[in-house]
Amino acid sequence: MTSHVSGARSGAAVRSTERTGLGSGWLVFAGVLMIFGGLMMLLQGIAAIAHDDVFVTTRNYVYEFDLTAWGWVHLVMGVFITLAGAALFQGATWARVVGVVLTGLAMLANFLWIPYAPFWAIVLIALNAFVIWALCTAPSPEER
């Protein structure tokens, strides 16, 4: 009798998971990392826009842009990555594809950002690599 009750609970949990569209711990992992990573990029962008003198600029850098321009790039990408991460919690299928594309672009932007904040940029590159991995390995709705 107790096994029947526990089976009913797990069935309700499966139906609840299907209804929300999460279905996998990897999607939750990716969503949380996207939200935190997006917020970190957003704050990094605000710092670059508000106080250019916070960051050390290097001379003779191949991808040299104005630091304020980099700030706007990080700010906009941070907003979009945070929103896409939140959309994963709503079960939006498009959020997986958008998440992979945006985090790939964020990896590129952070690679180009390395001369300004090396440790921070490398941390965000690694975080974005984990997000892409989690989004790509999570089972699709058809597999659940």
Side-chain angles (χ1 to χ4, degrees):
M1 172 101 38
T2 55
S3 64
H4 177 69
V5 172
S6 65
R9 285 186 194 153
S10 65
V14 169
R15 281 191 299 276
S16 170
T17 306
E18 290 173 357
R19 188 175 49 238
T20 61
L22 289 176
S24 170
W26 293 121
L27 288 180
V28 173
F29 176 76
V32 168
L33 283 183
M34 282 179 70
I35 290 171
F36 285 126
L39 290 174
M40 285 189 268
M41 280 192 75
L42 184 124
L43 293 173
Q44 184 175 353
I46 291 171
I49 292 168
H51 300 289
D52 285 29
D53 56 344
V54 170
F55 298 99
V56 176
T57 57
T58 58
R59 297 182 324 168
N60 301 326
Y61 181 52
V62 175
Y63 306 107
E64 187 174 340
F65 290 116
D66 180 40
L67 200 53
T68 304
W70 274 120
W72 281 106
V73 167
H74 281 82
L75 180 87
V76 170
M77 288 188 71
V79 168
F80 284 130
I81 290 171
T82 303
L83 292 175
L88 280 174
F89 287 110
Q90 300 301 317
T93 307
W94 60 266
R96 290 177 76 165
V97 175
V98 169
V100 169
V101 170
L102 286 176
T103 53
L105 290 173
M107 286 176 75
L108 180 64
N110 282 304
F111 173 75
L112 299 174
W113 183 255
I114 286 176
Y116 303 106
F119 179 75
W120 190 251
I122 291 171
V123 167
L124 287 177
I125 289 170
L127 185 123
N128 287 324
F130 282 123
V131 168
I132 290 173
W133 176 75
L135 288 174
C136 292
T137 60
S140 66
E142 295 84 30
E143 294 174 356
R144 287 184 254 147

